Amino acid sequence: MRIPVAILLCFLSIISLILEWFTLGLSLSLLAYGIILYHTFKTVGLNSVLFLFMILFGLYGYSVPISVFFDSDIGWHRVAKLRTWQKVDDTLFSFLISNQLALLATSLLYLVFVRKRIMRIPNSASLKVSANYYRLAILAGILSSLSEALNFLRAGGFATLSQGKAFYQGAINDLVLNIPYEGFFYISIALFGQFFATVKNKKDKYFTYLPPFFLSIFFVLFINLIIGERGTLLVAMVVFILAYTIKRRITRINVSYVLLLSLLYVCFNALTLLREKSVEYKGIGNFLETYEDRLYRLMNPANTEFGSPALNYRIFIDKRPDNYNYKLGQTYTEISTAFIPRYIYPNKPIGIIYEFRNQYFPERKEMGSTAGTGFSSLLEAYMNFGYFGPFFIYLIFLFFLIYMESRKGRNQLFIDLLYLLLFNVFLIFSRSASQYILYTLFLYLCQIIVVILVYKVIPKRMFSISKVIDA
């Protein structure tokens, strides 16, 4: 009965928001979301892409409305972009209505598909995986480090790196035939996580298999730590955990999980500060004392990237012309030109993300060609189809995720890899446009195939494993 109740609450919250009853609409919306999140937790467990996506959905969708309700400080600097940023206004109601329509689509899919007999988890007898997973993990790690090293050297090396994250990534993006390394990196992590879970001997686990794997991905880790790219490191951690526990359903929350997540959240917020040029690190004590207030503000998700999609959406609603013409699916066809380099197609359309950035955040363009604004999938859906957009777009994308959730953990190499890499696809789903989402998904598919094909043609003795795996 949980999901029918959530569907009813979704309808009631939408009606309340249309009538501009903010407190009631937000309360009903949070109740519906809480029921769906709990059902996800009990059905597929917290170690699932679906559950993590629902957590992210809540952070992106509710952090700003809840902060406005409690009159929290969510950035006076943003008031320059939107005068009513910290107030309840038409733009906030519109954002909540779109968010709730997306939740309604999700709840309808849950009603039909998200049940324990459908979302079944393999039993422990199928825990063993092939030693090829380890060899493939090493190979993918080497490919990721080589790709990043080539990009690093061609972009100017340490001289470019010292200019900061946005400048460095912009330089990489502007390279002719730059090599995306992230897919190879995540593939390596996903394969190693599944293999690592089957090794019972701790000596083999930490002294035989871990060091070679770490060396294969070292350069990627080094570069990302230098530029403060917390996103790549966070995704890698989560992919490893999902891979390590892919044959289990975790439906109990251990206190250690909460403490670990809290520590990671604080560390990544500290990393956010450290990558700013105005921040100087002179020891942990001095850092905490000097930047205590700024670090405290970052504890509120609305003051981090989780608040950006709401800002983008609300600015568009506030500034759009009265005679705005909906794009009717046009932006969803941008994937057709995504793989064509600009040096081949000079007049290539810039895409909805950068079109929006150039119009409403022109100062971001000066930070690098790839500098974005945290564009919202809700906004893109609305720009195309109005309020029908969020409902139908989430219906399509979530159906695909739910299907993959039902197929994981059966020792099908391609399916398991694609499922694990979907975490990053759906991580960016709430703060990106379809072109980048579909481009990323297609690129991952290609890189999985590349790793498998390269492994088939190289001599196997290059990745020999001397010990028998005790599974």
Side-chain angles (χ1 to χ4, degrees), residues 83-347:
R83 182 175 52 84
T84 56
W85 167 239
Q86 298 196 135
K87 299 178 181 178
V88 177
D89 67 344
D90 291 343
T91 69
L92 186 59
F93 278 114
S94 180
F95 174 75
L96 274 171
I97 290 170
S98 288
N99 194 71
Q100 201 61 16
L101 286 165
L103 188 65
L104 177 61
T106 303
S107 62
L108 291 173
L109 287 171
Y110 271 52
L111 184 65
V112 180
F113 298 110
V114 184
R115 303 173 184 176
K116 282 189 177 181
R117 64 183 178 83
I118 297 176
M119 316 299 287
R120 58 193 185 281
I121 303 295
N123 57 47
S124 58
S126 62
L127 280 176
K128 187 175 182 179
V129 299
S130 169
N132 289 338
Y133 277 55
Y134 181 71
R135 300 186 184 103
L136 284 163
I138 296 292
L139 174 60
I142 292 172
L143 289 174
S144 69
S145 287
L146 285 176
S147 300
E148 178 68 341
L150 287 172
N151 291 335
F152 169 78
L153 293 172
R154 293 177 61 210
F158 286 103
T160 303
L161 194 67
S162 64
Q163 298 298 311
K165 173 188 173 183
F167 187 87
Y168 176 76
Q169 292 181 332
I172 296 293
N173 186 67
D174 292 338
L175 289 173
V176 176
L177 296 177
N178 69 313
I179 309 171
Y181 74 89
E182 291 94 341
F184 291 129
F185 180 55
Y186 299 144
I187 290 168
S188 179
I189 296 291
L191 287 163
F192 183 72
Q194 292 179 78
F195 170 80
F196 206 56
T198 67
V199 182
K200 303 303 180 184
N201 187 303
K202 289 188 176 181
K203 182 179 179 181
D204 288 344
K205 202 177 187 97
Y206 297 106
F207 296 100
T208 302
Y209 301 118
L210 186 59
F213 171 72
F214 181 79
L215 286 174
S216 73
I217 61 172
F218 175 78
F219 193 76
V220 173
L221 296 176
F222 171 74
I223 293 295
N224 280 276
L225 285 171
I226 291 294
I227 66 174
E229 179 49 81
R230 58 179 185 166
T232 302
L233 300 177
L234 175 62
V235 171
M237 290 179 189
V238 175
V239 168
F240 176 81
I241 294 170
L242 291 174
Y244 192 83
T245 62
I246 197 170
K247 304 290 179 65
R248 291 186 284 145
R249 179 192 286 118
I250 301 176
T251 56
R252 291 186 179 181
I253 299 178
N254 193 301
V255 175
S256 61
Y257 299 160
V258 178
L259 294 175
L260 178 60
L261 287 174
S262 300
L263 177 62
L264 286 174
Y265 189 72
V266 173
C267 289
F268 278 108
N269 283 332
L271 189 59
T272 301
L273 284 179
L274 287 170
R275 72 186 187 188
E276 295 182 10
K277 292 184 178 180
S278 61
V279 174
E280 296 182 1
Y281 181 77
K282 298 180 180 179
I284 187 169
N286 179 270
F287 175 77
L288 292 175
E289 182 180 353
T290 305
Y291 302 106
E292 179 182 358
D293 292 340
R294 294 173 67 179
L295 192 59
Y296 177 76
R297 284 188 68 255
L298 287 176
M299 294 300 106
N300 180 356
N303 288 315
T304 66
E305 64 187 38
F306 293 114
S308 297
L311 178 65
N312 282 249
Y313 185 103
R314 294 178 64 187
I315 284 176
F316 173 78
I317 295 297
D318 181 63
K319 299 183 183 302
R320 65 173 176 170
D322 294 334
N323 60 343
Y324 176 76
N325 294 317
Y326 294 107
K327 295 184 180 295
L328 302 178
Q330 178 183 341
T331 69
Y332 294 101
T333 65
E334 291 178 354
I335 185 63
S336 61
T337 61
F339 293 93
I340 305 176
R342 192 164 293 279
Y343 59 85
I344 294 177
Y345 183 11
N347 296 322

Side-chain angles (χ1 to χ4, degrees), residues 18-82:
I18 290 173
L19 295 173
E20 297 190 351
W21 297 342
F22 178 70
T23 301
L24 180 60
L26 178 61
S27 300
L28 293 172
S29 178
L30 288 170
L31 281 174
Y33 168 72
I35 291 172
I36 293 172
L37 184 64
Y38 179 76
H39 182 79
T40 311
F41 171 66
K42 298 302 292 184
T43 305
V44 296
L46 60 86
N47 59 323
S48 65
V49 176
L50 184 58
F51 178 78
L52 294 175
F53 171 76
M54 291 310 303
I55 290 288
L56 293 168
F57 179 88
L59 289 170
Y60 283 114
Y62 297 112
S63 60
V64 169
I66 291 175
S67 296
V68 172
F69 177 80
F70 286 104
D71 197 26
S72 301
D73 177 13
I74 52 175
W76 282 106
H77 63 286
R78 290 170 169 172
V79 175
K81 289 287 184 183
L82 180 65

